[in-house]
Amino acid sequence: MRLNRVRAFLGACALGLGLAAVVPAGPAAAAAPRHTIAFDQYSMIIDGQRTYVWSGEMHPFRLPSPALWRDVLQKMKAIGFNTVSVYFDWGYHSPAQGVYDFTGVRDMDQLLDIADEVGLYVIARPGPYINAETDGGGFPGWLTTQAGRARSDAADYLAATDEWQSAIDAIIARHQLSNGTGSVILYQIENELAATGTAQRNYLQHLRDKARADGIQVPIFHNDRGRNGYWVPASSTVPGTVPGPVDLYAFDGYPGGSCHTDGSVGSPSNAPDWGIQGAGGAKGGASASNTTPGFAAEFGGGWFDYWGSVGTYPCTAVREGPGYERVFYGTNIANRLTIQNIYMVSGGTSWGWLPAPVVYSSYDYGAAIDEGRQLRPKAQTLKTLGYFVQSVAPLTKVDKGADVAASSPAVRIEHTVNADTGTNFYLAVHNPSSATTDDSFTFPITTADGSYTVPLRLTGQDAKTLVADYDLEGNHLVYSTSEIETHLPGVALLHGRDGEAGETVLRYPAEPAVRFLAGSGESAYDPATGDLRLTYTHHGLIKIQITAPDGPALTLLIADEDTAAQFWRVDDLLVRGPELVRTAKVRGGRLALTGDTKAAAPLEIWGAPAVHRVTWNDRPVAVRPAVGGSLVAVRDLAGARQITLPELTTWRYAAESPEATPGFDDSGWRTADQTVTNSTTKPPAGQVVLTADDYGFHHGDVWYRGHFDGAAPTTASVTWGGGGAGLMQAWLDGTYLGQKVLPNAVATPPTRATDTFAIPPELQVTGSHVLSIMVRNNGHNEDGGVNDAHKEGRGVIGATFDGVVPSSVTWRIQGAAGVDPVRGPLNNGGLYGERNGWSLPGFKDRSWSTRSLPDNSAISGTAWYRTTFGLKIPADIDASLGLTIGDPAVPHNARHYRVLIFVNGWNMGQYIADVGPQHTFALPTGVLNPRGRNTIALAVTSDGGEANALETVHLTTLGVARR
Ligand code: IPT
């Protein structure tokens, strides 16, 4: 077997197909431990070991707090992932062509160090195009001004991507597993490039060549938008696919459905067979490449939510919850997708001006780890699946097994077999998989051990993977109707649904001693076959000690789902009790555990026979040995104390928008003087270019002042681009004309419009005039369609007076005053307050008036509210806090105002009262100082009057844990 693989590997290399086995060259490499990364049609093979790559997506740019990267990555590891998939967002690092910033929250070296330290492999996805519901799909603002078609082989575009790759590849290359200096195992070029012409082929080849030239040695892949067979390695012989310059083929899919923005929920969908169970069958052709592992580069772990929604995240977390995970991920496992990345596992926040027009600030995604970094119930199901795929090695090399028919047509069995070990896997799922009926049935199992008829039940949205003919820590498992969660020498953890019957059959040459240490059940030994049959009902924890005359002892732990959720597999240990176990270090008989508690929790440890002293978060824990080989803490671990948060009662207040007044001095602003733009939205004939990006103002708010002499018009029509739920406000000669908002609540929201302001008769006089316009740019479009959609103009595109282009208007433009060196290019736009430091913690606001909230009137335009408060969260408490504006029970109300939320200067999101749905904004520790002073500055942009004033504002607790 091994010989074959090596031969295949050399053959592929000779063909230049780049099966990556990596031998670093040069003197520096000599010291580093070398690792090999290879693959075949079954799985990745890392250091000669077949590896199930069980990956979750998280975005460092959506969590502006490096200390919390460790928190989230440890949580991912704890819930069973061995890999994290990471997009890198070009625009997040590049405020201007040639300028790249990887400092502070943008320090990707640090992120990759932490991933390695935590023990996660990394799938690096640097784009250049990422989509990801980010501004411009990850393209920097300055890229909108290029002439050449993006995502093609246009020379100016490739020069730009070269810049980005040079910068990001230098970092990624340092962290490759192959060098022994990190844990990056895979590298993605582009994302969902669904155009397949020559320009795109050249482009992909260019990206690949550049990556290799930059020292990227790990296998390279692309993520196909659906399993279309676009960009498949040349080694594959599946007909109808498009070859590309990649080593692996990968695709994405979101077949689970999400909750609807109006609050309705569709019925469950069916899980597709996107691998060896599907059409194409045993050859593996159904994965669209028959020489590389089944690879879902993104598979739905939730879905994003839209401006104007009722707020779908809590609903999506349930719809794509435990049942969905078992049915859909289970089906993928049965289809031999041995590289599976769940998008998202920790969604985070699209803070600042990161959101693409389709999304608001929260990118919670209904994911397993919520935006406040708390584990949702679905994380526990992921844990059972993640531990399973990593514990049961034969899963990494399966073929489609013989057809198996269940006794009920309401159930379908997907059968796979590992030919080397003889291990059989049976996925039992409803037929169709969307069905949720209560079905009890049997199905036949035939393995080297003989033939059995196995009883099973499926009720609700559910699926189970049973294992037969398997070496369970030196004990031979004939089959079990409980699912395997994990095992280590001396102990195995199985699980099943509470109240459902289970049976586990093990085989021994002579009758073993069987003791139920906890829970109840029956045991029967058949000397004719050697079968030991254990029968029981899943409930709580059943502990069975099996001692065979010769052979290793085994403690079987059989848990219901709630009990299974209490277990943590950390390296070679199994720990039960705490809310979370992060790390375990054994040294000289001492075991140091770290983790979290919420309520007081018991602690039991398996797999540490030589340990006699235990610490929990560096504090000693008294333990005693228990029957069954575990250690048990004598007293419960302490839980978290409750915390109290200050009321935000006193606010300082100042109005701004002086740009609206005729006498405002705009002499320092840019004069609009360009006559050519590469935006897809050209100005009307006879008008200068006005689009903000052409003048270097890429994010947030931008002001325009149009000066003209003569008669004032009766109407002014403005074509403008504002992204999702964008806003425009206008004044003539200091008089407020009103505001316009782009409509929302549809999957592809309009991102530009032409709107007309009627000029009040009293302003229609002859003289010198100034038309002041403020446009809020809620993001550049993504470029999913490869049609330069990100180049749609932002700000004012064109203006006509009484239907014609006015002959002599001098336009001046002002956006952000510069780039915040700490908070980065996406933190600020061009509000007067932002340009003058009002968003910053150090700003002196003592001369401002005081206000209390809710306020009872608002100006038209923007006013700021600032407050300072202290926090005294104890050092051993991880308090996840948020800021809530208005009534969270009402997704949107009739108030026409919106708020930019600056916390210690960080722009943590935008509240839009009449669009919604978000009321609560996560404030990550690091942005927030848990033990010191904090400043909140709210920029409130309102239509004015009593009805459009700021509502209540308070701090909220999103989760409290002790660690
Ligand atoms: C796919 C993208 O690859 C990813 O970047 C993100 O946008 C995700 O979906 C949705 O959150 S796009 C695909 C579903 C068409």
Side-chain angles (χ1 to χ4, degrees):
M1 246 2 273
R2 206 182 154 73
L3 198 67
N4 280 345
R5 184 164 58 67
V6 172
R7 199 177 304 129
F9 165 74
L10 291 174
C13 277
L15 291 169
L17 299 177
L19 263 188
V22 184
V23 184
R34 298 191 306 194
H35 296 275
T36 58
I37 304 173
F39 52 83
D40 59 14
Q41 72 270 37
Y42 293 107
S43 72
M44 297 284 291
I45 302 159
I46 299 177
D47 289 334
Q49 197 83 30
R50 288 197 177 277
T51 303
Y52 201 110
V53 176
W54 183 255
S55 173
E57 183 89 8
M58 83 69 86
H59 296 154
F61 51 87
R62 285 188 159 116
L63 185 54
S65 178
L68 297 185
W69 295 341
R70 180 175 285 100
D71 174 64
V72 166
L73 294 178
Q74 283 184 336
K75 282 173 176 158
M76 288 180 60
K77 171 91 175 170
I79 61 172
F81 290 99
N82 61 4
T83 306
V84 58
S85 167
V86 177
Y87 271 143
F88 299 95
D89 183 307
W90 182 1
Y92 191 68
H93 298 276
S94 182
Q97 184 149 25
V99 182
Y100 289 84
D101 182 344
F102 293 92
T103 61
V105 302
R106 293 167 299 283
D107 184 350
M108 295 300 115
D109 253 319
Q110 196 182 347
L111 173 91
L112 294 171
D113 276 340
I114 294 170
D116 187 23
E117 172 211 305
V118 166
L120 291 170
Y121 292 131
V122 175
I123 300 176
R125 309 205 296 153
Y129 182 74
I130 61 172
N131 209 65
E133 293 73 68
T134 57
D135 182 78
F139 284 155
W142 57 265
L143 200 76
T144 61
T145 63
Q146 287 206 318
R149 169 70 56 110
R151 313 181 72 193
S152 80
D153 59 0
D156 55 352
Y157 176 70
L158 292 186
T161 64
D162 279 354
E163 255 186 29
W164 165 240
Q165 272 190 299
S166 294
I168 192 68
D169 287 351
I171 297 168
I172 296 170
R174 282 200 283 279
H175 293 271
Q176 296 175 99
L177 183 79
S178 40
N179 299 338
T181 54
S183 60
V184 173
I185 55 167
L186 291 166
Y187 179 103
Q188 180 182 320
I189 45 173
E190 249 286 337
N191 186 57
E192 300 189 315
L193 187 64
T196 55
T198 310
Q200 274 66 44
R201 178 183 310 277
N202 294 343
Y203 166 45
L204 278 191
Q205 186 67 48
H206 186 90
L207 295 179
R208 181 201 171 88
D209 293 347
K210 174 67 177 148
R212 289 284 184 240
D214 288 343
I216 300 298
Q217 301 167 317
V218 298
I220 289 176
F221 71 98
H222 166 265
N223 172 31
D224 191 1
R225 184 165 73 193
R227 205 183 40 133
N228 306 305
Y230 297 158
W231 313 122
V232 167
S235 58
S236 172
T237 56
V238 178
T241 56
V242 177
V246 292
D247 304 307
L248 294 167
Y249 171 72
F251 63 92
D252 65 23
Y254 293 81
S258 59
C259 298
H260 303 157
T261 54
D262 64 0
S264 63
V265 187
S267 42
S269 13
N270 289 316
D273 285 316
W274 278 337
I276 57 171
Q277 306 288 345
K283 285 199 201 102
S287 87
S289 163
N290 54 7
T291 52
T292 59
F295 183 175
E298 293 174 19
F299 196 90
W303 190 248
F304 58 83
D305 197 17
Y306 308 81
W307 285 115
S309 160
V310 298
T312 59
Y313 290 138
C315 173
T316 293
V318 174
R319 168 147 192 186
E320 298 203 356
Y324 160 86
E325 293 174 322
R326 290 185 186 120
V327 170
F328 284 74
Y329 307 153
T331 299
N332 288 346
I333 293 167
N335 274 277
R336 201 174 74 197
L337 302 186
T338 55
I339 312 176
Q340 208 176 150
N341 176 48
I342 293 162
Y343 186 107
M344 303 291 300
V345 167
S346 175
T349 306
S350 304
W351 62 282
W353 297 107
L354 258 177
V358 283
V359 293
Y360 51 89
S361 309
S362 173
Y363 199 70
D364 175 275
Y365 220 82
I369 302 175
D370 72 17
E371 193 185 8
R373 299 180 286 111
Q374 309 302 302
L375 300 184
R376 289 197 160 109
K378 64 189 280 187
Q380 306 298 351
T381 307
L382 275 179
K383 183 167 74 173
T384 61
L385 290 166
Y387 291 0
F388 169 61
V389 298
Q390 288 179 71
S391 304
V392 182
L395 255 188
T396 51
K397 187 170 181 274
V398 294
D399 291 291
K400 192 176 186 314
D403 288 349
V404 172
S407 64
S408 161
V411 170
R412 178 161 61 102
I413 308 291
E414 294 195 337
H415 180 201
T416 51
V417 188
N418 181 309
D420 299 343
T421 64
T423 307
N424 285 248
F425 299 92
Y426 304 88
L427 174 85
V429 62
H430 279 114
N431 183 27
S433 61
S434 58
T436 57
T437 43
D438 184 351
D439 295 299
S440 292
F441 55 93
T442 61
F443 68 92
I445 278 182
T446 299
T447 69
D449 296 323
S451 292
Y452 298 82
T453 299
V454 169
L456 202 65
R457 179 177 169 196
L458 282 178
T459 175
Q461 187 184 32
D462 201 4
K464 296 176 182 173
T465 300
L466 306 193
V467 181
D469 192 351
Y470 177 57
D471 175 6
L472 188 65
E473 299 295 343
N475 291 252
H476 183 77
L477 178 73
V478 177
Y479 71 85
S480 176
T481 64
S482 303
E483 294 174 276
I484 297 176
E485 180 159 338
T486 189
H487 54 83
L488 46 129
V491 56
L493 174 62
L494 313 183
H495 64 111
R497 321 298 175 250
D498 187 31
E500 291 188 9
E503 58 183 60
T504 296
V505 177
L506 295 143
R507 186 166 287 190
Y508 298 93
E511 182 167 6
V514 176
R515 235 179 105 192
F516 280 77
L517 304 176
S520 60
E522 306 290 323
S523 133
Y525 182 72
D526 177 356
T529 57
D531 282 358
L532 173 73
R533 178 178 300 268
L534 305 165
T535 49
Y536 45 84
T537 298
H538 295 97
H539 183 63
L541 186 65
I542 305 168
K543 290 187 189 175
I544 309 171
Q545 194 180 36
I546 305 168
T547 318
D550 42 18
L554 181 69
T555 301
L556 266 187
L557 305 173
I558 302 173
D560 65 15
E561 297 307 323
D562 288 348
T563 309
Q566 299 164 358
F567 283 87
W568 302 94
R569 171 82 198 251
V570 218
D571 306 326
D572 293 331
L573 297 179
L574 187 63
V575 181
R576 181 188 178 195
E579 174 74 16
L580 176 75
V581 181
R582 296 172 185 270
T583 62
K585 280 200 187 69
V586 184
R587 193 178 297 150
R590 289 156 184 260
L591 166 63
L593 291 171
T594 66
D596 295 12
T597 54
K598 286 191 172 173
L603 180 70
E604 185 167 6
I605 302 153
W606 287 264
V611 162
H612 50 86
R613 291 181 63 181
V614 175
T615 58
W616 172 255
N617 293 333
D618 295 328
R619 287 178 288 270
V621 176
V623 291
R624 59 172 171 78
V627 197
S630 65
L631 285 175
V632 179
V634 174
R635 278 176 299 278
D636 278 0
L637 304 173
R641 299 181 293 288
Q642 279 317 300
I643 54 161
T644 51
L645 297 174
E647 291 293 338
L648 307 178
T649 44
T650 318
W651 295 80
R652 294 279 180 181
Y653 171 89
E656 49 124 287
S657 306
E659 301 91 336
T661 56
F664 180 82
D665 178 9
D666 61 19
S667 57
W669 289 15
R670 277 294 302 267
T671 300
D673 52 8
Q674 296 187 31
T675 51
V676 177
T677 177
N678 289 319
S679 77
T680 55
T681 45
K682 312 294 181 198
Q687 195 159 79
V688 290
V689 171
L690 292 171
T691 34
D693 288 295
D694 286 294
Y695 297 94
F697 304 122
H698 302 304
H699 306 292
D701 297 326
V702 58
W703 277 93
Y704 293 82
R705 284 170 54 90
H707 299 266
F708 59 98
D709 293 323
T714 60
T715 60
S717 292
V718 183
T719 300
W720 61 293
L727 171 83
M728 171 172 65
Q729 295 187 322
W731 291 257
L732 184 68
D733 301 333
T735 297
Y736 184 58
L737 301 177
Q739 71 172 33
K740 309 289 179 186
V741 177
L742 292 168
N744 54 70
V746 282
T748 43
T751 47
R752 68 172 198 271
T754 299
D755 283 299
T756 300
F757 295 100
I759 308 298
E762 64 273 19
L763 297 182
Q764 294 172 23
V765 292
T766 300
S768 281
H769 303 285
V770 57
L771 177 64
S772 298
I773 298 173
M774 194 280 267
V775 176
R776 171 152 302 172
N777 170 11
N778 279 344
H780 297 90
N781 300 339
E782 297 173 292
D783 188 31
V786 199
N787 55 2
D788 276 349
H790 60 294
K791 295 179 183 170
E792 181 181 79
R794 289 296 178 261
V796 175
I797 294 166
T800 57
F801 292 173
D802 295 322
V804 294
V805 174
S807 53
S808 59
V809 180
T810 304
W811 289 97
R812 288 177 181 270
I813 306 180
Q814 178 66 55
V819 175
D820 184 315
V822 174
R823 302 171 186 90
L826 294 154
N827 196 66
N828 290 101
L831 286 177
Y832 181 86
E834 291 177 280
R835 304 195 316 265
N836 289 280
W838 296 14
S839 58
L840 294 172
F843 180 75
K844 302 265 177 297
D845 57 16
R846 258 164 308 183
S847 63
W848 291 15
S849 60
T850 56
R851 293 254 173 139
S852 56
L853 297 178
D855 208 343
N856 49 28
S857 74
I859 62 150
S860 309
T862 298
W864 289 66
Y865 296 72
R866 290 173 52 92
T867 195
T868 300
F869 59 94
L871 287 175
K872 291 195 203 86
I873 311 290
D876 61 350
I877 295 293
D878 177 7
S880 176
L881 303 182
L883 189 79
T884 300
I885 303 180
D887 180 359
V890 182
H892 33 77
N893 56 40
R895 291 173 180 252
H896 303 305
Y897 81 94
R898 51 186 66 197
V899 184
L900 298 183
I901 300 163
F902 292 93
V903 178
N904 297 325
W906 297 82
N907 175 357
M908 291 316 299
Q910 182 176 193
Y911 170 78
I912 310 186
D914 49 352
V915 174
Q918 190 177 3
H919 285 268
T920 296
F921 295 79
L923 308 179
T925 308
V927 164
L928 207 58
N929 180 355
R931 284 173 287 286
R933 302 299 291 171
N934 292 279
T935 299
I936 293 180
L938 304 177
V940 177
T941 300
S942 174
D943 207 17
E946 271 172 52
N948 300 317
L950 177 59
E951 298 154 272
T952 56
V953 175
H954 58 268
L955 293 169
T956 320
T957 302
L958 306 178
V960 175
R962 181 186 175 119
R963 45 181 302 196

